[in-house]
Every structure is written in C-alpha cells, then in structure tokens.
C-alpha cells in the first residue's frame, strides 16, 4: 500500500516561522515611534465616531467638513488646554525653585495648632521646641534633596517638544482615521475573521464598544468631576486651582475620586479662618464626589453592555500596567477575554439543578 501523505519538512517550517518573526519584529521596530500616537488616535476616533457621523449628516453629507470640525474640536479640547497647563506649571514653579536655591524656605510656624482642643498647645510647643533644637539644620539638610526633586519634576514637565510631537502625530492619525475610518475598520475585521472566524469579528466589535464605554463612563465622568471641583476651588479662593484641577482629574481617572484634593483644600480654608467659603466648598465637594455614582453607570451602559466591575478593574489594572494608554487597553483586554470565555463556556449545556441531579442519582441507585 502506497502512503500518499507527504512528509513534513520540519526545517522549512522552522525557518519560515523564524523569517516571519523577524519580519514582524523589524516592522514593529520601524513603526515604534508612531505606536503611541496611533494608539491615542485610535481610541479618540473610536470614542468620537458617532459624533463624526452626526456632524457629517448636518454638514450636507460632506466628510471633509466633518473631519475639519472634528480636528478643530480636538485642538480645542486636548491640545490647547494641556499646553497652557504645562506652560503655567513651568512658570509657577519658578518662585519655588528660587526660594529653595536661595535658602529662603523656612519651616512653617503652624500657629493654627493652638486652635486644636485639648492637645493644640502641646503640639504647638512641641513643634517650636523641635525647631529650636535644630529645625533649621534639618531644613538645610533636606533642602538639596527637595530642590533636586523639584527640579527633576519641572524638567520632566518641560519636555514640551516630545509632548507636542505626540500630539501632532495623534492629530495626523486622527484625521486619517476619520477620513478612511470605514476602510480601516473593514480591514481590521477582515483580518480578525481570517484569524479566528466569527469570534474574531465579534472580538473586534466588542473591543470598540469597550473603548467607547471607557471613554464615556470613565473619562467623561472624570472630566465632569474635575471641572466642577476646579470651579469650586477657584470660586473659594484656593491658590493654584488649575494645577489642583489636573491632579483631581488624575485621581478621578484612577478611581480614587476628587476628595483627595478637595478635602485638604477644605481643611486649609477652615484653618486660614475662611469658614464661609470652607463650608461652601464642603457642600460642593459632597455633590461632586457623588456624581460618579449616577453618571458613570449610565454612560458605560451607553457604550457597551458590560459589567461595571469589569470596566473599573480594567481601568485600574491597565493604568498600573501600561500607563495612561492602559486606561483603554485594560478594559478592552478584560472585556474581550470575558466575552470569549463566556462564549466558550456556553457551548456546553448547562448542568441540571441540584434537585434533578439528586433524583437522577437516586434512580440510578434504585435500578442498580
């Protein structure tokens, strides 16, 4: 009997796989400078694609006009505010660096300690005794480290060139994706179908829904809370309200809430003697802190029908693992994995209830 099966050429298969791996690594190496900008552009375009479609309908069906309006909105919403923030951060850090470098920084008096009941006077006396025993020497030793740390942070914030490059790439890729979004989406879905059939196509669609859910439920909620909290800080007279607003935005994105910034501001207002604005900011902070309980679930459901705990876990884990872009990567990975796992499990029939299983087992024992 003749064996018609052809023998496999193992060296050829290994060399083919090695060649493909080398080609993939080389391509990733070439496009590495553009990956971050393209990733941000992809998330922005996916999240705002329904808005582009609505603008195109309003603007007489002209895609070019809709893309132009969307690019202007991106510049107004992202580029200009962040650039102004970085500029104000660098400018406001000048007096701090000057005070540290000239030795003008001295330990605070902390006179408000006297207002604390029962233990305030003891705390105030202990603090000044510490200063008399060597507080100036302690500050002199800490000043070089504080100055170096401050200079490092300001230097990191002053890398405007690299930041503007990523922003320019994001705008360029966003314009291209807005212009040819349907073709790009069709190509990605075609590749997913070729790779994993209908499940691959479903995974791509689910990834887009997860990105839109995060953009609506997490980012929009954080922006609303940060802006409202910043308005409260500015009206209450808290200094550096813009900087604290950005910090508040970061704490809201990582799901820590705005109270980490608002509570110290309230305490500072009361200690400075401005109890009226402290009370106003306290009431306003309670309103801002509870907004996410109402806004976030509704917006996430508008983006995708996914469990809230899945989205929030992906946001926090993605931020820890990948940085800011992980805000979208984390929920996408968890959502796609969860849906694929759920589809795989549902291919098997569900088990019978406990009562039916026990009765079947009893019948088998009786017949045996």
């Amino acid at each position: 009997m003749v064996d018609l099966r052809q023998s496999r050429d193992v060296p050829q298969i290994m060399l083919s796989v090695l060649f493909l791996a080398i080609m993939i690594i080389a391509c990733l190496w070439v496009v590495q400078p553009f990956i971050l900008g393209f990733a941000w552009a992809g998330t922005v375009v996916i999240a705002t694609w329904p808005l582009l479609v609505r603008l195109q309908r309003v603007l007489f069906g002209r895609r070019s006009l809709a893309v132009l309006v969307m690019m202007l909105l991106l510049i107004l919403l992202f580029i200009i505010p962040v650039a102004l923030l970085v500029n104000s951060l660098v400018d406001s850090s000048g007096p701090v660096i000057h005070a540290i470098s000239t030795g003008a920084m001295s330990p605070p008096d902390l006179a408000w300690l006297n207002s604390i009941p029962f233990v305030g006077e003891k705390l105030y006396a202990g603090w000044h005794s510490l200063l008399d025993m060597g507080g100036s020497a302690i500050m002199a030793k800490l000043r070089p480290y504080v100055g170096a740390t401050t200079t490092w942070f300001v230097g990191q914030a002053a890398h405007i060139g690299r930041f503007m490059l990523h922003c320019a790439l994001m705008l360029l890729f966003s314009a291209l994706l807005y212009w040819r979004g349907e073709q790009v989406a069709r190509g990605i879905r075609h590749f997913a179908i070729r790779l994993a059939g209908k499940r691959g196509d479903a995974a791509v669609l689910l990834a887009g829904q997860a990105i839109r859910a995060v953009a609506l439920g997490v980012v929009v909620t954080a922006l609303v809370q940060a802006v409202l909290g910043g308005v409260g800080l500015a009206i209450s007279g808290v200094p550096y309200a813009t900087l604290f607003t950005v910090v508040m935005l970061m704490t809201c994105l990582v799901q820590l809430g705005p109270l980490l910034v608002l509570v110290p501001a309230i305490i500072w207002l009361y200690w400075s003697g401005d109890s009226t604005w402290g009370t106003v900011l306290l009431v306003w902070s309670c309103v801002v802190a509870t907004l996410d309980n109402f806004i976030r679930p509704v917006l996430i459901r508008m983006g995708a029908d996914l469990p809230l705990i899945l989205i929030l876990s992906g946001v926090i884990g993605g931020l820890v693992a990948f940085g800011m872009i992980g805000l979208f990567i984390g929920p996408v990975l968890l959502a796609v994995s969860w849906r694929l796992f759920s589809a795989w499990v549902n291919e098997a029939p569900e088990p019978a209830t406990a009562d039916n299983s026990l009765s079947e087992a009893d019948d088998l024992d009786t017949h045996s």
Side-chain angles (χ1 to χ4, degrees), residues 132-156:
D132 296 336
M133 292 171 56
S136 301
I138 294 175
M139 292 303 299
K141 291 181 179 180
L142 291 179
R143 189 179 297 118
Y145 300 100
V146 176
T149 304
T150 307
T151 306
W152 184 85
F153 278 110
V154 173
Q156 295 299 316

Side-chain angles (χ1 to χ4, degrees), residues 231-244:
V231 170
L233 293 176
I235 294 176
S236 302
V238 177
Y240 303 106
T242 304
L243 181 60
F244 289 142

Side-chain angles (χ1 to χ4, degrees), residues 114-137:
N114 290 316
S115 61
I116 300 177
F118 303 110
V119 296
E121 296 181 359
K122 294 182 179 180
L123 291 176
Y124 183 76
W127 170 249
H128 275 270
S129 64
L130 179 62
L131 294 182
D132 296 336
M133 292 171 56
S136 301

Side-chain angles (χ1 to χ4, degrees), residues 42 47 54 82 106 124 129 140 158 162 177 180 185 221 228 264 269 295 308 313 321 326 337 356:
R54 293 179 183 177
V82 177
S106 60
Y124 183 76
S129 64
R162 186 176 179 181
L177 291 175
R180 297 295 181 184
T221 304
L228 293 179
L269 286 174
I295 299 177
L308 182 61
S313 301
S337 301
N356 293 335

